[in-house]
Amino acid sequence: MKPLFRIVLVALLGLVMVPIHASAQNEDEENLDRYFEDGGMSERKNILATNLLSPLWGELGLRYERAISKHVSIEIGLKKLTSIYVFEFGSEVDFQFSSFDPVSGWGISIAPHFFFWDKAPEFHYIGPRFAQRTHTLESESKLHVSDISFDYGYNLFLTKRMMFCYEVGFGYRRVNYEEGTKLINYYYGPNKDTYGGLLIYTSLGLGLIF
């Protein structure tokens, strides 16, 4: 009888200890979850941001970025071009024109971002950027500007809803000048219809995360 009693006792102790151990393990997991809780920030995949520097060269626009996989996102930008233009560093537009007098226009860009070290769309990324914009000038001429560059950028999530971003890149800019019909005495365009040169791209922005 003693061996049977011992077997029953061990079985009862096992039945009691299993739920206690499971409860303690679940409690430990819940405690760890509290340490790693980020308010769902890591699950946010969409960014809507603006470039704070772009008004200097006559652009008012927004860019939308969405993560499409763990390490890749796609950014699409839309721009409204205005008559305010100061100077765009490294731009062939400034070097070729005696007086650049834009009136209006539009622009669009697309850029895949590759987050090799981080989860998209947060922190460090690299990737190409393709952009096109068309200026309508005071002389009724058209200036078509095409950009291709390779950029490095950084998206920093400040809060659950706010983010900061910067981007720098180098590439090639091609400009196509379309002569207008209006003559302006103080103004002359470039000495050729199509030309190109070095592009230095910079962006410094704020945005929303959702």
Side-chain angles (χ1 to χ4, degrees):
M1 293 296 292
K2 286 186 178 181
L4 179 61
F5 176 77
R6 289 176 182 176
I7 293 173
V8 172
L9 181 60
V10 170
L12 290 174
L13 288 174
L15 292 174
V16 172
M17 293 302 296
V18 167
I20 293 177
H21 176 71
S23 177
Q25 186 176 5
N26 291 336
E27 184 177 354
D28 290 340
E29 290 177 355
E30 291 176 0
N31 290 337
L32 289 175
D33 288 341
R34 287 200 296 269
Y35 284 110
F36 291 101
E37 176 63 38
D38 63 357
M41 188 180 298
S42 61
E43 300 302 319
R44 302 189 190 279
K45 297 183 178 181
N46 302 278
I47 292 175
L48 188 64
T50 185
N51 184 359
L52 300 178
L53 300 179
S54 61
L56 292 176
W57 46 88
E59 296 179 359
L60 298 175
L62 291 173
R63 68 175 182 89
Y64 169 72
E65 181 176 355
R66 176 171 176 81
I68 59 175
S69 70
K70 185 176 181 180
H71 297 292
V72 180
S73 69
I74 292 291
E75 174 193 300
I76 297 177
L78 295 175
K79 304 171 184 178
K80 168 64 177 169
L81 307 182
T82 71
S83 59
I84 301 173
Y85 184 89
V86 180
F87 180 79
E88 187 174 357
F89 181 71
S91 172
E92 284 288 320
V93 172
D94 293 293
F95 299 149
Q96 294 285 342
F97 283 79
S98 63
S99 178
F100 185 47
D101 52 1
V103 175
S104 63
W106 59 271
I108 188 171
S109 64
I110 183 169
H113 294 162
F114 300 95
F115 296 76
F116 290 109
W117 310 279
D118 303 299
K119 182 179 178 181
E122 191 177 7
F123 299 130
H124 306 270
Y125 63 86
I126 57 175
R129 185 179 63 92
F130 308 93
Q132 173 72 40
R133 69 179 193 247
T134 297
H135 292 276
T136 300
L137 309 184
E138 188 178 347
S139 62
E140 296 182 356
S141 301
K142 299 284 187 180
L143 197 68
H144 307 284
V145 183
S146 302
D147 295 342
I148 180 170
S149 63
F150 191 81
D151 305 336
Y152 162 78
Y154 187 83
N155 293 334
L156 176 63
F157 290 7
L158 301 175
T159 67
K160 291 182 180 180
R161 295 296 180 185
M162 295 293 298
M163 58 86 65
F164 165 81
C165 55
Y166 69 83
E167 196 171 35
V168 294
F170 295 90
Y172 177 77
R173 167 164 291 167
R174 186 175 180 85
V175 180
N176 181 34
Y177 176 69
E178 183 181 330
E179 186 68 50
T181 58
K182 186 177 179 181
L183 178 64
I184 298 178
N185 293 330
Y186 68 84
Y187 172 85
Y188 66 86
N191 55 14
K192 51 185 177 180
D193 293 337
T194 303
Y195 54 94
L198 173 68
L199 165 67
I200 301 175
Y201 175 72
T202 56
S203 175
L204 182 68
L206 291 174
L208 299 175
I209 314 162
F210 58 97

